Amino acid sequence: MGPRESFHMTPEEFRRHGRAVVDWIADYWERVERLPVLSMVQPGDILAALPASPPIDGEPFEALLHDIDSVILSGLTPGNRPTSSRSSRPTRRVRPSLASSSRPASVCRGCSG
């Protein structure tokens, strides 16, 4: 990434990265039924797969999405599967909620959805 005047994303960077995140989420929803129901890692495996310290310079945003797929996702237990009758809130209800909570979060600093 290298030094830059501001660590904030430009509006164009935000658009590009936001689209990448929405695409990742949509891809995840398409494949969630094929993912293991239980975590496939042992305690400490994810921590061991991460660098010992954060990078001095930021990494490309695509590297973050890759790390989520290759490191983090294997440690999740997706109890909120779209067709799970045991889920308290099936993911088919999450899509409108996610879309609607994005707007207020974007205009209110410090607000959480």
Side-chain angles (χ1 to χ4, degrees):
M1 181 173 178
R4 55 191 272 187
E5 292 181 27
S6 172
F7 292 102
H8 298 286
M9 284 186 206
T10 65
E12 187 51 43
E13 288 172 321
F14 182 76
R15 283 184 188 96
R16 185 168 27 98
H17 298 321
R19 288 181 189 118
V21 169
V22 168
D23 286 345
W24 186 92
I25 292 169
D27 291 345
Y28 173 79
W29 284 338
E30 285 180 339
R31 64 188 167 149
V32 70
E33 288 292 328
R34 296 185 306 272
L35 295 174
V37 175
L38 298 175
S39 171
M40 300 302 293
V41 300
Q42 297 297 314
D45 286 353
I46 292 176
L47 182 61
L50 297 172
S53 59
I56 293 172
D57 291 322
E59 296 179 325
F61 192 79
E62 294 74 19
L64 170 78
L65 295 177
H66 178 267
D67 287 349
I68 291 172
D69 274 331
S70 64
V71 179
I72 306 299
L73 203 55
S74 63
L76 295 181
T77 299
N80 200 11
R81 297 167 72 85
T83 58
S84 174
S85 60
R86 289 180 265 178
S87 297
S88 60
R89 294 182 220 182
T91 53
R92 63 178 150 250
R93 296 184 193 155
V94 171
R95 293 172 190 150
S97 174
L98 180 62
S100 66
S101 67
S102 299
R103 179 176 263 170
S106 68
V107 296
C108 181
R109 285 185 199 232
C111 294
S112 61

